[in-house]
Amino acid sequence: MKVPFSLYVHWPYCTFLCRFCAFSKARVPAKGVEHERITSALLKELRTSLAPHKDKVLQSIYFGGGTPSLAQPQNIAQIIEAANSLVPLASDAEITLESNPTSAEVDKMRDFKQAGVTRYSIGIQTLNDRTLARMGRLHTGAEGLAAVDRARALFPGKVSFDMIFGFEGQTLDQWQKELETVLKHADNHMSMYQLTVEPGTPLFRDRNAQRVVLPSGDLSAQMYESAVEMCTAKGFRHYEVSNYAVPGSESMHNMGYWQGRQWVGIGPSAHSRFIDPSSNQRISSMRLPDIQRWAQHCEKFGHGTAKSTVISDADAKQEAVVFGLRMLDGITDRRFASVSGGQSLKDYLHMDRVQQYVDDGYLLWNSTDAQLAPTERGLEVIDSILIDIVP
């Protein structure tokens, strides 16, 4: 049986730069994007990176960014076709493209479907027009909902959208009303993120200068709990800290990250995690973040890798638990054994502390299947739990 594998493609350009975003990105240049050059660089890096993995099968491709819906559909098709020629796509492969709900990008949806995209993810973020404008977004709440409706017609059962809570001035009542509205338009998947203030962003500087006051931790917790309650009441399963899906519609690509599947990332700043077929070592790598330097390296060397390191056994075990416990299904001994050399979860974790969290209703331990999982209550504070139970 072929090993499942994933591909992440980073498209670095954005029409606008959101005040809260810390992802690697750049504003579209005044002279426009050099589509052919960027696509050529991506294809060179793709061929170099996937060549050692021809014996695997591509379970998913994810076009992220940046704003990949600014790419030309024919270039997206080229990348999909090239990937498939190197590592065959699974018959049920998931190919996701992220998009903003501006009219220019919405008009390209059908072309992206013809290019091979099978799943569409839309960044609504909020329905509050004042907040959208303040955060640097170019669409309105109504345009966000209209984009979801149009995507559902083209990608039935394969549409996701992102919402963010915890904006300045947002109340619990406002958040609940937004949730009530978006749930009427929802397809089979949604992501609900708490606004995080990342160093280096305009929002970070505004907060530090006290130009912005965000909701308290208690209020943010109430917003999180409202999302859980309202989404589950509508038939969505809270399968990961920030993600909800109708059972069977979970994000195949993101599940790969949390379950430890190997993947290669191409494009500026893209990360990779894979087992090197020649050395059998676990490798972590990152591409150059500067777009021009990355493209030049791809043209000269066939890839724009900035650094590549061997993942130690200790780090591999820690990552398996940390990512595994972000999911409501948790992690099994069988999954852990694939990185631990046969060591069990019971032998690795601080089981006295695990038992205390079990007794307090934060974790579940299934001794029959040797499976550790968070409860809904535990998922809300899983970061604090992990610090306590992982060596």
Side-chain angles (χ1 to χ4, degrees), residues 53 262 273-284 309-313:
H53 303 284
Q262 299 177 59
R273 289 281 196 286
F274 58 86
I275 296 175
D276 183 346
S278 61
S279 66
N280 207 35
Q281 292 179 313
R282 297 184 190 88
I283 302 297
S284 168
T309 57
V310 175
I311 302 172
S312 69
D313 291 343

Side-chain angles (χ1 to χ4, degrees), residues 161-332:
F161 60 77
D162 295 352
M163 292 291 289
I164 297 176
F165 62 89
F167 287 112
E168 181 185 22
Q170 189 177 37
T171 66
L172 180 60
D173 183 62
Q174 287 172 340
W175 171 237
Q176 290 172 337
K177 286 178 178 175
E178 287 195 41
L179 282 173
E180 187 177 343
T181 300
V182 296
L183 282 166
K184 293 175 182 176
H185 294 260
D187 191 40
N188 287 356
H189 192 282
M190 300 173 293
S191 299
M192 305 280 174
Y193 300 106
Q194 180 176 342
L195 180 67
T196 54
V197 183
E198 300 287 352
T201 62
L203 181 61
F204 179 83
R205 293 191 290 273
D206 286 347
R207 189 196 63 176
N208 283 4
Q210 298 184 327
R211 291 189 292 266
V212 168
V213 179
L214 301 177
S216 67
D218 287 344
L219 178 53
S220 294
Q222 288 178 301
M223 291 177 176
Y224 172 95
E225 290 159 6
S226 289
V228 174
E229 182 180 344
M230 294 177 70
C231 292
T232 53
K234 290 292 184 179
F236 288 83
R237 183 170 184 258
H238 185 204
Y239 73 99
E240 191 270 344
V241 173
S242 302
N243 287 275
Y244 300 79
V246 172
S249 297
E250 296 82 2
S251 168
M252 190 182 295
H253 186 86
N254 288 336
M255 287 288 284
Y257 294 149
W258 303 320
Q259 293 176 339
R261 186 188 306 148
Q262 299 177 59
W263 86 89
V264 158
I266 63 171
S269 290
H271 290 256
S272 302
R273 289 281 196 286
F274 58 86
I275 296 175
D276 183 346
S278 61
S279 66
N280 207 35
Q281 292 179 313
R282 297 184 190 88
I283 302 297
S284 168
S285 68
M286 177 184 164
R287 311 298 183 184
L288 290 161
D290 180 83
I291 298 171
Q292 295 305 316
R293 284 193 65 215
W294 164 81
Q296 289 165 4
H297 276 246
C298 288
E299 290 159 357
K300 187 174 181 180
F301 305 111
H303 65 89
T305 304
K307 63 178 179 179
S308 183
T309 57
V310 175
I311 302 172
S312 69
D313 291 343
D315 285 346
K317 288 189 286 188
Q318 185 179 80
E319 284 183 6
V321 174
V322 168
F323 285 111
L325 289 183
R326 288 186 61 87
M327 300 179 293
L328 201 60
D329 289 337
I331 183 171
T332 62

Side-chain angles (χ1 to χ4, degrees), residues 313-361:
D313 291 343
D315 285 346
K317 288 189 286 188
Q318 185 179 80
E319 284 183 6
V321 174
V322 168
F323 285 111
L325 289 183
R326 288 186 61 87
M327 300 179 293
L328 201 60
D329 289 337
I331 183 171
T332 62
D333 251 354
R334 182 178 179 182
R335 157 74 189 110
F336 186 67
S338 68
V339 299
S340 70
Q343 184 181 21
S344 69
L345 286 167
K346 287 183 72 172
D347 289 338
Y348 174 68
L349 297 172
H350 295 302
M351 285 304 293
D352 55 335
R353 301 175 191 173
V354 169
Q355 188 58 54
Q356 187 61 58
Y357 283 113
V358 170
D359 293 342
D360 292 342

Side-chain angles (χ1 to χ4, degrees), residues 353-371:
R353 301 175 191 173
V354 169
Q355 188 58 54
Q356 187 61 58
Y357 283 113
V358 170
D359 293 342
D360 292 342
Y362 290 96
L363 294 175
L364 296 170
W365 172 253
N366 183 330
S367 57
T368 302
D369 298 327
Q371 179 180 18

